[in-house]
Amino acid sequence: EIVMTQSPATLSVSPGERATLSCRASQSISSNLAWYQQKPGQAPRLLIHGASTRATGIPARFSGSGSGTEFTLTISSLQSEDFAVYYCQQYDNWPPWTFGQGTKVEIK
Amino acid sequence: QVQLVQSGAEVKKPGASVKVSCKASGYSFTSYGVTWVRQAPGQGLEWMGWISAYNGMTGYAQNLQGRVTLTTDSSTSTAYMELRSLTSDDTAVYYCARLWAVAGHSWFDPWGQGTLVTVSS
């Protein structure tokens, strides 16, 4: 089973600043990675698939990059609605699909 | 619009079973799979299993094998997740999601609103 590790666990950022979240896979997963956003009390929402393709309706301030084992989600200028928990998920060798443990982006 | 609407919260005693439904609308139900993910209080996301709404093929997480069963009813565009022999460790919010699978790639979009299952004596 592929293990996904996210860092940091918590990221404190001021509104308008840039946020950079990392995700590492225990083995190469090519570009078979998705990112999800989850706000308190809500279901997760797909942000990115294919490591860098934004899902429908996702603002351009969200961007994904990476391949192999190292991936990054960047939020270029944090808006108030972006404070949430972000999960990466691999789908290179499924099933199973595996998630990282999440990164909480909080207001600094 | 594409939507998945789940059944309401459940409270169960240890040893009991629970069956959660997930009604899909806004798309061709049998053209996609459905996957289930759970989230214990304050914890991350745990994948549970998936089912093809086209032919009923299933796959389950190893740690739940034998306790979970996924089914679909194409006449009502509804997916079901049944979990048996419940313990307090099964207390969680259970989500269904549409499974996109294209040329070997797959992701979950959209998700249902979640169903809280509480296991307590």
Side-chain angles (χ1 to χ4, degrees):
Chain A
E1 178 176 304
I2 299 173
V3 177
M4 306 302 292
T5 304
Q6 293 185 240
S7 61
T10 303
L11 188 60
S12 298
V13 185
S14 299
E17 288 189 341
R18 183 187 195 91
T20 302
L21 290 66
S22 296
C23 175
R24 174 178 293 176
S26 60
Q27 64 189 68
S28 178
I29 58 169
S30 185
S31 296
N32 297 318
L33 184 97
W35 289 95
Y36 299 87
Q37 175 194 65
Q38 186 178 34
K39 298 179 182 179
Q42 295 187 18
R45 175 177 72 147
L46 177 71
L47 295 178
I48 301 277
H49 59 84
S52 60
T53 302
R54 279 189 303 277
T56 303
I58 301 303
R61 63 180 181 273
F62 290 93
S63 63
S65 64
S67 67
T69 61
E70 301 286 340
F71 301 87
T72 300
L73 174 70
T74 302
I75 312 171
S76 59
S77 177
L78 270 160
Q79 307 298 301
S80 57
E81 62 265 30
D82 301 335
F83 292 97
V85 179
Y86 293 83
Y87 294 94
C88 62
Q89 176 208 38
Q90 69 81 22
Y91 55 86
D92 183 67
N93 187 15
W94 56 269
W97 290 262
T98 48
F99 294 91
Q101 78 278 23
T103 290
K104 181 180 181 180
V105 177
E106 64 176 23
I107 300 174
K108 187 174 182 180
Chain B
Q1 74 282 21
V2 175
Q3 199 173 7
L4 299 174
V5 178
Q6 299 183 222
S7 50
E10 303 261 14
V11 179
K12 296 292 183 180
K13 293 193 182 304
S17 299
V18 67
K19 191 169 187 176
V20 178
S21 68
C22 169
K23 184 171 177 59
S25 61
Y27 70 96
S28 174
F29 182 68
T30 54
S31 296
Y32 295 83
V34 176
T35 190
W36 291 82
V37 174
R38 69 179 179 177
Q39 186 171 38
Q43 302 301 307
L45 303 171
E46 178 190 11
W47 176 75
M48 299 178 66
W50 78 283
I51 182 167
S52 166
Y54 174 69
N55 61 13
M57 180 184 299
T58 56
Y60 300 112
Q62 198 164 5
N63 65 321
L64 295 173
Q65 195 86 282
R67 282 210 302 137
V68 63
T69 301
L70 302 182
T71 55
T72 60
D73 181 347
S74 58
S75 69
T76 59
S77 299
T78 303
Y80 298 92
M81 184 283 299
E82 181 179 31
L83 187 61
R84 300 175 292 278
S85 302
L86 293 168
T87 73
S88 57
D89 289 342
D90 296 313
T91 294
V93 176
Y94 289 76
Y95 295 102
C96 64
R98 183 176 65 169
L99 174 62
W100 279 85
V102 178
H105 304 273
S106 66
W107 52 86
F108 306 164
D109 181 52
W111 297 54
Q113 84 277 17
T115 297
L116 175 61
V117 176
T118 302
V119 183
S120 174
S121 55

